Amino acid sequence: MKRLSLILLSLISIGFLYDKVSDFYSVPGTEPNYAGIQNDYIELCATCPPGFLLNEENKCISKNLYQQYESLQDAGVGGLKTALPKVRDGFSPQQVDLGRYLFFDPVLSKDGSMSCATCHDPNKGFSDGLSVGQGMNGSKLNRGTPSLWNVAYLKKLFWDVRASSLEEQMQGPLYAENEMGNTPENLLLSLNQIPTYRRLFAEAFPDREVNDSISLFEIYTSIAAFESSLISLNSKYDQYAHGFHEALNEKEIEGLNIFRSFVARCAECHTPPLFTNQQVAVIGSPEPDGLKLDPGAEITFNDPTRRGGFKVPSLRNIEKTGPYMHSGNFKTLKETVAFYNKGRGHAVPKNEKLYLHWHIWEPDLTDYELDRLVDFLKTLTDESFTPKVPVILPSAVVKQDKISS
């Protein structure tokens, strides 16, 4: 009976018990032909994305196997069967799907050249594959682009943890002159001029008048709803953690044991099951040659003890999101894990005094052990809930209408 329950919960967690689940994630060869699309063709999905169940209030509620375990709060580094942090859920299916259209639509940028997906590409782990991000006209940004997988569980956002919600975070790139370059006024003007978006927003927010203008609150809520649906919890590691021990091979299990050991201490900061403790850590990661030390969270907190400190990132889908560290200074996972093996403070500039995290020391791992760590990190890959990229966007419908006329 226990095994049957585990199988049923697993089916729910990977989306097999959801109707029309393919409306949300990619199924190759199922895309319809959108030639000659009309202004009223685009419709919002009325079912939740995989990993969520629809309740009587038309809200998508997160469901996964980790909910059967106790919280890791005040439990040290926790074990394999520990609960996830509180999740951001409760959006309607229509809000999630509207957010999907907005996320991939370059109309959100000042000149129509960039969408959220330009930097958070689903084919690159919802990152961009670059050492540091790029804004409009190829402008080079200061830090790497974090992945968006499992952001529904994060309490702080940006490398320097300066945002406390998805809504607050998205306003950074939306309105930064060197990123998407937009303004709130121009964003509202652009979207309100698109009839399809007017119709879709009225559907996603039915408590207001149909002819009301689109508001910033509705835009931010919709994008946050979509980003909160990006769940990755069905990796080989997850299957192993839930009791299917054949999911990992011998070398991967060796890597897991090294990861959780008090020698390597990886799990002290990259705590399962989210693989981050969501704290700021000063680890002395080097900047690219010729660049000054990035002060990081020192600016956020106005605290010199946080100088050079950055958010501990989740390691979910880490195999897909290189280069690594805030500066993108390490191209491979092997380089990254080797950094921690070279001694406390070895890369700190001589003129800098950093208050390094106490877990940073000299584990003296062998090359074989470093390889096993990399093997384990690759077991955290799960992109089974990758959402479908819209084939046509509301802004493109407007352009086509203008060409037709």
Side-chain angles (χ1 to χ4, degrees):
M1 189 65 184
K2 183 178 180 181
R3 180 173 178 79
L4 179 60
S5 297
L6 180 62
I7 293 172
L8 288 173
L9 281 168
S10 297
L11 289 172
I12 289 176
S13 73
I14 61 176
F16 289 154
L17 300 185
Y18 292 83
D19 295 330
K20 294 178 66 181
V21 79
S22 63
D23 287 350
F24 275 98
Y25 72 99
S26 300
V27 179
T30 63
E31 292 79 5
N33 181 4
Y34 285 89
I37 187 169
Q38 298 299 313
N39 198 29
D40 60 353
Y41 183 90
I42 297 177
E43 296 180 356
L44 297 179
C45 186
T47 55
C48 293
F52 295 82
L53 284 176
L54 188 66
N55 69 11
E56 295 179 353
E57 299 176 348
N58 196 42
K59 294 180 179 180
C60 296
I61 306 302
S62 175
K63 296 293 180 182
N64 60 72
L65 285 172
Y66 285 103
Q67 292 171 339
Q68 66 184 310
Y69 307 135
E70 293 183 3
S71 171
L72 51 71
Q73 187 69 34
D74 301 320
V77 300
L80 301 187
K81 291 181 169 62
T82 49
L84 287 158
K86 181 177 174 59
V87 68
R88 180 88 185 272
D89 62 2
F91 300 100
S92 73
Q94 293 81 4
Q95 290 168 348
V96 175
D97 204 24
L98 174 56
R100 180 172 68 103
Y101 283 106
L102 291 168
F103 185 89
F104 288 98
D105 201 329
V107 75
L108 266 63
S109 62
K110 178 182 179 180
D111 61 0
S113 65
M114 293 185 68
S115 70
C116 303
T118 302
C119 295
H120 298 284
D121 186 341
N123 294 317
K124 297 177 181 178
F126 280 97
S127 184
D128 57 11
L130 303 173
S131 296
V132 294
Q134 284 188 357
M136 286 196 313
N137 303 316
S139 61
K140 197 172 183 180
L141 307 180
N142 295 326
R143 296 170 184 155
T145 302
S147 172
L148 294 181
W149 282 114
N150 294 330
V151 290
Y153 293 99
L154 299 182
K155 298 180 179 67
K156 294 289 184 179
L157 301 152
F158 288 118
W159 279 105
D160 56 9
V161 299
R162 66 183 184 271
S164 299
S165 70
L166 289 169
E167 289 87 342
E168 181 184 1
Q169 181 277 327
M170 69 183 68
Q171 294 177 61
L174 274 172
Y175 305 135
E177 290 185 4
N178 61 341
E179 295 191 54
M180 299 176 78
N182 218 332
T183 64
E185 296 77 16
N186 188 63
L187 177 60
L188 288 173
L189 179 63
S190 299
L191 292 180
N192 276 295
Q193 288 179 338
I194 301 174
T196 301
Y197 269 129
R198 293 289 294 266
R199 175 175 56 82
L200 296 181
F201 271 92
E203 181 182 346
F205 296 92
D207 293 337
R208 47 92 147 178
E209 295 296 325
V210 173
N211 294 324
D212 283 354
S213 296
I214 298 168
S215 71
L216 290 174
F217 169 81
E218 293 169 342
I219 297 169
Y220 302 155
T221 298
S222 300
I223 298 173
F226 171 69
E227 292 178 344
S228 295
S229 75
L230 303 176
I231 301 298
S232 176
L233 295 173
N234 194 38
S235 66
K236 290 172 62 177
Y237 163 81
D238 295 302
Q239 296 166 24
Y240 180 88
H242 295 316
F244 180 52
H245 291 170
E246 290 79 8
L248 300 187
N249 63 37
E250 183 177 337
K251 289 184 177 180
E252 292 164 344
I253 294 173
E254 283 185 63
L256 168 61
N257 290 333
I258 295 167
F259 184 90
R260 297 185 65 216
S261 73
F262 284 102
V263 176
R265 299 183 178 180
C266 309
E268 296 283 348
C269 292
H270 296 283
T271 313
L274 193 57
F275 286 88
T276 172
N277 60 7
Q278 307 206 49
Q279 297 177 8
V280 170
V282 183
I283 64 172
S285 173
E287 304 292 341
D289 292 342
L291 293 184
K292 295 181 179 179
L293 181 80
D294 187 331
E298 177 188 21
I299 305 301
T300 303
F301 295 98
N302 191 27
D303 180 358
T305 68
R306 304 288 187 103
R307 182 168 178 77
F310 297 94
K311 178 185 69 175
V312 176
S314 170
L315 300 182
R316 294 280 180 170
N317 289 320
I318 192 68
E319 177 187 12
K320 303 289 186 177
T321 57
Y324 304 104
M325 302 296 191
H326 70 279
S327 61
N329 210 29
F330 298 134
K331 306 301 181 186
T332 67
L333 285 173
K334 181 66 176 290
E335 287 181 68
T336 308
V337 297
F339 161 78
Y340 294 94
N341 205 42
K342 293 181 179 179
R344 181 180 175 86
H346 72 275
V348 176
K350 293 181 179 180
N351 62 335
E352 291 282 354
K353 180 183 178 181
L354 300 185
Y355 295 85
L356 296 178
H357 195 284
W358 69 277
H359 288 153
I360 302 299
W361 72 309
E362 300 179 23
D364 197 25
L365 300 176
T366 65
D367 198 59
Y368 176 87
E369 290 171 322
L370 294 177
D371 285 336
R372 300 294 73 77
L373 270 178
V374 172
D375 289 340
F376 169 67
L377 292 175
K378 291 180 179 180
T379 72
L380 302 178
T381 301
D382 166 39
E383 298 180 305
S384 56
F385 288 176
T386 299
K388 184 185 295 182
V389 177
V391 180
I392 191 73
L393 296 166
S395 62
V397 173
V398 171
K399 292 178 183 177
Q400 181 171 318
D401 286 348
K402 288 181 178 178
I403 293 174
S404 306
S405 60

